[in-house]
């Protein structure tokens, strides 16, 4: 599902962010990659969905050689992936429901189906009553939940989560983990990164640590 | 490609808070009005030429002793002849008298009628061209009893010459204003893309295809061209109303102008936005 081999990333002129990173995540698996701020977790995640290109190494995601994909192939690959960004990224002038429905429509779903599905996932994550509110009317934690619902609504084969619960309290985090556990149980692979070591004790899946020396 | 999404996004780009789109549509209106003025002038001239052509008559002067009815019978079989009629010397003289009016008395000093009998021919539209008229003249001259063939080509020649000049000017104007319209759409589309860069990037990360991401900007360009053409159509119609006392009963070429203006508006909008999205790069580091 995700296979990274000897991945390195250097930003010009010579700022080494990642070196010799290898990782293998099988279909249906769940990996939490923990690490301190600035260690390159987000960069590694961006490499897996093709925003960043590694300086060295190979990146295979869902059977695709990500760094060498063209525009159309990359779009096709991303359709199969649900992403929660560290900076959340919602359409500020659209309601929570539209934030999800618009993406589904752009991916080819019919209007009513997209709206119904968006509402379903907002209900699932406990944001149903806020579905008509725009992001600026929501707290950061609520925005994070909308972003998670957007990723889930695509019913992806793979979920990439970058600090998905950073603005949630423990109770909310547990609720979100429960939902993620259910989709993981149905076969969705999850690759998540976080800097929060304090949540370590209740995180499901394999837990790895990213350090400047590599993955441990 | 999701066509519903593309159309909605395209119209949203144009209608919601996109002042630049309206500015582009306004420039389109000005540009297409210039094209429209030239097109209207050309239509006026075409209409006028048609009117002149309909009145065009070929007059075949016969020798004094020729039998008009026999020649008439042969001429009507010629290709391109719509109708023909014989005019005797006497009828020609009477007609001439009518034309002279009060001065008709001058004809009384003549001992004999100098006007020959003739045959007047009306032609079908396809045979009213210069080349066809030349051919017909050649053939008519060969008929026994025909003395001379007279066709008033001058007016048609002048009209044609003026029409060709006007068509040339039309083409030149079309090129210049077309280029401006394409440039304006290109700039408007690029501004629009820059303005929505963050949104485009987000859709792109979500796996929306490059075609679906680009197409709404083409729709926006088409909207700009189309709305510009509607306004320019209105301007040209008002101009026609103002000119109608001068141009008489010349009809307003409603459908033709609508097709030209809307067609050009859509074409320029499509080319301009198409060129702009060609430079649309999806971010990858």
């Amino acid at each position: 599902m995700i296979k990274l081999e000897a991945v390195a990333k250097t930003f010009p002129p010579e700022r080494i962010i990642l070196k010799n990173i290898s990782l293998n995540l099988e279909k249906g698996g769940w990996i939490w990659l923990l690490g301190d701020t600035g260690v390159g977790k987000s960069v590694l995640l961006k490499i897996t969905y093709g925003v960043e290109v590694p300086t060295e190494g190979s990146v295979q995601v869902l059977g695709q050689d990500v760094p060498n994909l063209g525009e159309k192939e990359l779009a096709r690959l991303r359709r199969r992936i649900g992403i929660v960004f560290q900076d959340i990224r919602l359409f500020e002038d659209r309601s929570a429901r539209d934030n999800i429905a618009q993406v589904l429509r752009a991916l080819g779903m019919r209007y009513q189906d997209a709206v119904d599905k968006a509402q379903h996932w907002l209900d699932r994550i406990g944001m149903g009553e806020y579905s008509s509110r725009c992001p600026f009317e929501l707290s950061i934690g609520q925005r994070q939940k909308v972003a998670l619902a957007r990723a889930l609504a695509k019913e992806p084969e793979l979920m990439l989560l970058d600090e998905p619960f950073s603005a949630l309290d423990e109770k909310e985090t547990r609720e979100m983990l429960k939902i993620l556990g259910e989709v993981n149980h149905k076969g969705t692979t999850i690759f998540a990164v976080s800097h929060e070591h304090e949540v370590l004790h209740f995180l499901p899946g394999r837990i790895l640590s990213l350090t400047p020396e590599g993955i441990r | 490609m999701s066509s519903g999404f593309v159309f909605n996004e395209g119209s949203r780009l144009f209608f919601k808070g996109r002042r630049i789109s309206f500015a582009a549509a306004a420039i389109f209106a000005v540009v297409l009005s210039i094209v429209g003025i030239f097109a209207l002038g050309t239509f006026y001239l075409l209409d006028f030429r048609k009117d002149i052509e309909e009145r065009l008559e070929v007059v075949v002067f016969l020798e004094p002793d020729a039998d008009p009815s026999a020649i008439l019978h042969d001429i009507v079989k010629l290709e391109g002849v719509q109708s023909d009629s014989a005019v005797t010397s006497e009828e020609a003289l009477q007609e001439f008298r009518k034309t002279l009016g009060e001065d008709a008395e001058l004809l009384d000093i003549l001992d004999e009628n100098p006007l020959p009998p003739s045959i007047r021919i009306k032609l079908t539209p396809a045979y009213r061209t210069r080349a066809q008229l030349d051919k017909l003249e050649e053939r008519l001259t060969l008929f026994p009893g025909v003395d001379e063939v007279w066709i008033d080509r001058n007016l048609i020649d002048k009209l044609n010459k003026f029409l060709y000049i006007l068509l040339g000017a039309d083409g030149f104007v079309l090129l210049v204003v077309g280029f401006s319209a394409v440039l304006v759409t290109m700039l408007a589309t690029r501004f629009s893309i820059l303005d929505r860069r963050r949104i485009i990037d987000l859709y792109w990360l979500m796996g929306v295809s490059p075609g679906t991401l680009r197409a709404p900007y083409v729709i926006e360009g088409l909207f700009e061209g189309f709305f510009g053409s509607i306004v320019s159509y209105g301007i040209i119609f008002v101009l026609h109303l103002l000119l109608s006392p001068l141009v008489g009963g010349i009809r307003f070429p409603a459908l033709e102008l609508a097709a030209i203006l809307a067609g050009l508006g859509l074409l320029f909008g499509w080319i301009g936005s198409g060129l702009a999205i060609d430079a649309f790069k999806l971010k990858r580091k």
Side-chain angles (χ1 to χ4, degrees):
Chain A
M1 184 62 66
I2 296 180
K3 195 171 183 187
L4 309 178
E5 278 181 10
V7 169
K9 178 72 183 177
T10 306
F11 285 116
E14 282 181 11
R15 199 171 137 233
I16 299 166
I17 301 294
L18 298 169
K19 60 180 182 185
N20 199 29
I21 301 292
S22 295
L23 184 139
N24 196 8
L25 174 58
E26 296 299 332
K27 183 173 163 43
W30 188 340
I31 283 182
W32 278 93
L33 188 64
L34 303 182
D36 294 335
T37 306
V39 81
K41 305 181 298 293
S42 295
V43 173
L44 187 64
L45 213 57
K46 284 176 181 172
I47 286 172
T48 60
Y49 59 82
V51 167
E52 298 285 355
V53 178
T55 320
E56 285 171 33
S58 83
V59 180
Q60 295 278 325
V61 175
L62 295 166
Q64 304 288 316
D65 179 15
V66 180
N68 296 314
L69 292 178
E71 272 184 0
K72 283 183 187 167
E73 293 76 29
L74 191 57
R76 253 179 247 133
L77 174 70
R78 285 174 178 168
R79 274 171 179 246
R80 300 161 68 192
I81 303 174
I83 310 171
V84 174
F85 306 100
Q86 188 177 16
D87 55 356
I88 304 169
R89 296 196 195 190
L90 298 174
F91 302 127
E92 293 301 318
D93 60 339
R94 307 262 178 150
S95 67
R97 187 174 43 231
D98 274 358
N99 258 280
I100 302 167
Q102 274 299 104
V103 170
L104 297 176
R105 285 195 70 208
L107 293 173
M109 194 178 279
R110 283 175 45 208
Y111 175 78
Q112 199 52 51
D113 294 343
V115 170
D116 291 346
K117 192 165 224 180
Q119 189 61 49
H120 164 77
W121 281 103
L122 285 169
D123 290 339
R124 277 287 304 271
I125 60 157
M127 286 289 293
E129 59 186 301
Y130 301 102
S131 61
S132 54
R133 289 199 190 171
C134 284
F136 62 84
E137 297 171 289
L138 302 173
S139 70
I140 296 177
Q142 287 170 325
R143 291 159 69 108
Q144 218 160 31
K145 285 183 180 179
V146 175
L148 184 64
R150 181 177 62 191
L152 287 163
K154 284 171 75 182
E155 293 178 356
E157 294 170 53
L158 170 66
M159 289 195 74
L160 300 174
L161 315 173
D162 193 353
E163 310 278 6
F165 313 131
S166 58
L168 303 182
D169 60 30
E170 189 177 323
K171 182 174 167 271
E172 287 173 318
T173 302
R174 283 183 187 276
E175 284 167 8
M176 295 306 113
L177 282 172
K178 190 179 165 212
I179 294 166
L180 285 173
E182 285 167 15
V183 297
N184 178 243
H185 188 69
K186 287 179 183 167
T188 302
T189 310
I190 300 174
F191 182 37
V193 302
S194 175
H195 71 280
E196 294 169 282
H197 294 276
E198 62 270 23
V199 294
L200 196 65
H201 61 282
F202 61 80
L203 286 181
R206 233 166 95 203
I207 295 170
L208 301 173
S209 184
L210 181 65
T211 66
E213 286 72 41
I215 290 180
R216 284 185 291 169
Chain B
M1 192 185 294
S2 171
S3 50
F5 170 82
V6 163
F7 188 78
N8 279 351
E9 280 295 295
S11 51
R12 191 182 158 91
L13 279 172
F14 181 75
F15 289 108
K16 291 214 170 168
R18 297 268 80 83
R19 282 185 193 167
I20 192 97
S21 299
F22 283 103
I27 293 171
F28 257 108
V30 174
V31 156
L32 291 173
S33 295
I34 297 170
V35 175
I37 288 168
F38 274 81
L40 187 68
T42 310
F43 278 116
Y44 281 169
L45 198 64
L46 282 170
D47 222 38
F48 185 55
R49 188 180 71 166
K50 196 178 161 200
D51 189 45
I52 295 291
E53 279 179 352
E54 273 167 10
R55 281 192 249 162
L56 179 78
E57 250 183 7
V58 176
V59 185
V60 182
F61 291 108
L62 306 176
E63 287 164 2
D65 55 343
D67 175 14
S69 57
I71 301 171
L72 199 67
H73 185 70
D74 291 335
I75 285 178
V76 82
K77 289 178 192 163
L78 285 176
E79 222 176 317
V81 174
Q82 195 173 50
S83 66
D84 60 356
S85 58
V87 179
T88 61
S89 300
E90 289 68 35
E91 284 167 341
L93 188 65
Q94 276 175 14
E95 226 176 74
F96 194 39
R97 276 182 189 283
K98 265 188 196 170
T99 315
L100 288 174
E102 288 178 3
D103 298 328
E105 288 172 4
L106 291 169
L107 295 173
D108 296 339
I109 57 167
L110 297 171
D111 291 336
E112 58 181 50
N113 181 359
L115 299 175
S118 60
I119 292 171
R120 291 177 186 172
I121 304 169
K122 290 265 184 195
L123 301 172
T124 52
Y127 283 81
R128 291 170 190 163
T129 63
R130 175 82 196 208
Q132 296 288 359
L133 289 173
D134 288 346
K135 266 189 205 169
L136 184 71
E137 186 180 14
E138 259 181 53
R139 296 180 72 178
L140 288 169
T141 317
L142 297 175
F143 275 82
V146 169
D147 184 36
E148 193 189 343
V149 177
W150 183 84
I151 306 168
D152 185 9
R153 295 184 181 90
N154 282 348
L155 187 58
I156 287 187
D157 282 353
K158 278 181 190 164
L159 276 174
N160 278 338
K161 204 172 164 186
F162 191 60
L163 191 67
Y164 292 138
I165 293 171
L166 194 59
L167 284 173
D170 286 350
F172 179 72
V173 166
L174 199 62
L175 272 179
V176 174
V177 300
F179 179 75
S180 324
V182 165
L183 200 68
V184 166
T185 321
M186 238 176 93
L187 288 173
T189 307
R190 285 203 179 187
F191 275 125
S192 207
I193 290 170
L194 282 175
D195 190 40
R196 287 172 55 92
R197 188 76 249 183
R198 208 178 144 268
I199 295 167
I200 293 166
D201 283 343
L202 184 50
Y203 276 126
W204 170 228
L205 290 171
M206 292 285 131
V208 178
S209 72
T212 303
L213 284 175
R214 289 177 175 128
Y217 296 92
V218 176
I219 301 283
E220 185 190 14
L222 293 175
F223 267 114
E224 286 164 8
F226 185 66
F227 277 87
S229 70
I230 290 175
V231 175
S232 66
Y233 185 84
I235 292 170
I236 301 300
F237 183 67
V238 170
L239 186 73
H240 172 77
L241 291 181
L242 294 173
L243 289 175
S244 50
L246 296 174
V247 295
I250 292 184
R251 72 178 181 98
F252 181 65
L255 282 177
E256 294 92 332
L257 263 181
I260 288 173
L261 295 176
L264 286 175
L266 291 172
L267 179 73
F268 294 152
W270 178 64
I271 294 174
S273 55
L275 289 173
I277 61 159
D278 203 38
F280 184 112
K281 298 276 178 249
L282 293 166
K283 226 190 312 187
R284 209 159 177 209
K285 297 166 197 166

